[in-house]
């Protein structure tokens, strides 16, 4: 079976707001199998929804990580950095989780973190972070807009996905957007 591809996730911070957007396309080989996948979700301990997470990679793997991450958020009372650290520890040491092929961006009002299967918890130096097939395109577009426009974070995130969808064959313009302050 071929690997599934087709994700672009962008997270933008501007003027005290954080916006995360993701496209909806999932492909299997040379075929589009879904155009409206929901790869960005509002999560948070005990239904608070104060954290946004976006994922790229195998859908089943990403959903497993998302569930584990939400559990860690509950256990760490919504502390994003501590929950990310606990997830990374599990991801690196658990025999099952070690094989998962996915990446995540998680954000709350305090910061943006990129989480990878190699144990990385990266906080971007800039106000935009992206993952997935079209991530580089979306991130470049976001950087340009952050430097040259007065658009809000949500509009920069949305337009970055739209621009990536014009360049990356694994990205479409069916956009899910979440924003927090």
């Amino acid at each position: 079976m071929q690997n599934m591809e087709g994700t672009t996730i962008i997270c933008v911070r501007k003027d005290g707001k954080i916006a995360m957007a993701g496209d909806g396309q999932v492909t299997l080989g040379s075929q589009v199998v879904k155009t409206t996948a929901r790869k960005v979700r509002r999560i948070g301990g005990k239904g608070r929804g104060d954290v946004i997470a976006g994922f790229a990679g195998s859908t089943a793997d990403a959903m497993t990580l998302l569930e584990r991450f939400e559990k860690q958020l509950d256990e760490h009372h919504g502390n994003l950095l501590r929950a990310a650290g606990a997830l990374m520890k599990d991801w690196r040491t658990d025999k099952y989780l070690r094989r998962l092929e996915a990446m995540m961006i998680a954000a709350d009002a305090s910061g943006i973190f990129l989480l990878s299967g190699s144990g990385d918890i990266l906080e971007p130096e800039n106000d935009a972070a992206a993952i997935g097939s079209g991530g580089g395109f979306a991130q470049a577009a976001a950087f340009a807009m952050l430097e040259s426009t007065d658009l809000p974070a949500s509009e920069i995130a949305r337009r970055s996905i739209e621009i990536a969808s014009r360049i990356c064959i694994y990205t479409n313009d069916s956009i899910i957007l979440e924003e927090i302050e």
Side-chain angles (χ1 to χ4, degrees):
M1 183 135 157
Q2 296 172 322
N3 287 335
M4 295 183 97
E5 296 184 41
T7 298
T8 301
I9 304 293
I10 182 78
C11 187
V12 177
R13 175 181 35 223
K14 185 173 182 187
D15 298 330
K17 294 185 179 180
I18 305 247
M20 188 179 299
D23 79 309
Q25 184 164 295
V26 177
T27 59
L28 183 59
S30 62
Q31 293 183 323
V32 174
V33 294
K34 186 166 182 151
T35 59
T36 58
R38 185 172 182 84
K39 303 171 198 172
V40 174
R41 297 168 191 249
R42 184 177 291 270
I43 62 174
K46 307 207 180 345
R48 290 188 309 260
D50 52 0
V51 173
I52 303 171
F55 54 84
S58 165
T59 305
D61 291 355
M63 294 307 294
T64 298
L65 288 173
L66 195 62
E67 287 175 13
R68 293 276 184 119
F69 185 57
E70 194 157 25
K71 181 180 173 187
Q72 292 295 348
L73 277 171
D74 284 343
E75 289 179 14
H76 292 92
H77 308 290
N79 184 310
L80 179 61
L81 185 56
R82 291 189 68 206
L87 178 66
M88 288 301 95
K89 181 181 175 190
D90 288 350
W91 200 348
R92 297 276 296 155
T93 59
D94 183 279
K95 284 184 180 183
Y96 171 71
L97 291 179
R98 249 187 307 203
R99 293 191 172 102
L100 299 183
E101 295 180 14
M103 291 184 75
M104 287 179 59
I105 294 179
D108 68 3
S110 68
I112 300 170
F113 298 98
L114 194 146
L115 313 173
S116 78
S118 58
D120 297 319
I121 303 173
L122 303 171
E123 187 171 17
E125 292 177 346
N126 302 301
D127 289 325
I131 57 175
S133 304
F137 304 121
Q139 189 169 12
F143 286 161
M145 285 185 270
L146 282 164
E147 292 176 6
S148 64
T149 70
D150 292 326
L151 293 172
S154 59
E155 191 61 24
I156 291 172
R158 177 181 305 287
R159 287 186 180 187
S160 295
I161 295 290
E162 289 171 350
I163 290 167
S165 76
R166 294 181 205 153
I167 301 166
C168 178
I169 62 171
Y170 297 114
T171 303
N172 71 7
D173 62 359
S174 175
I175 298 168
I176 299 295
L177 179 86
E178 292 286 348
E179 184 177 36
I180 54 175
E181 292 186 38

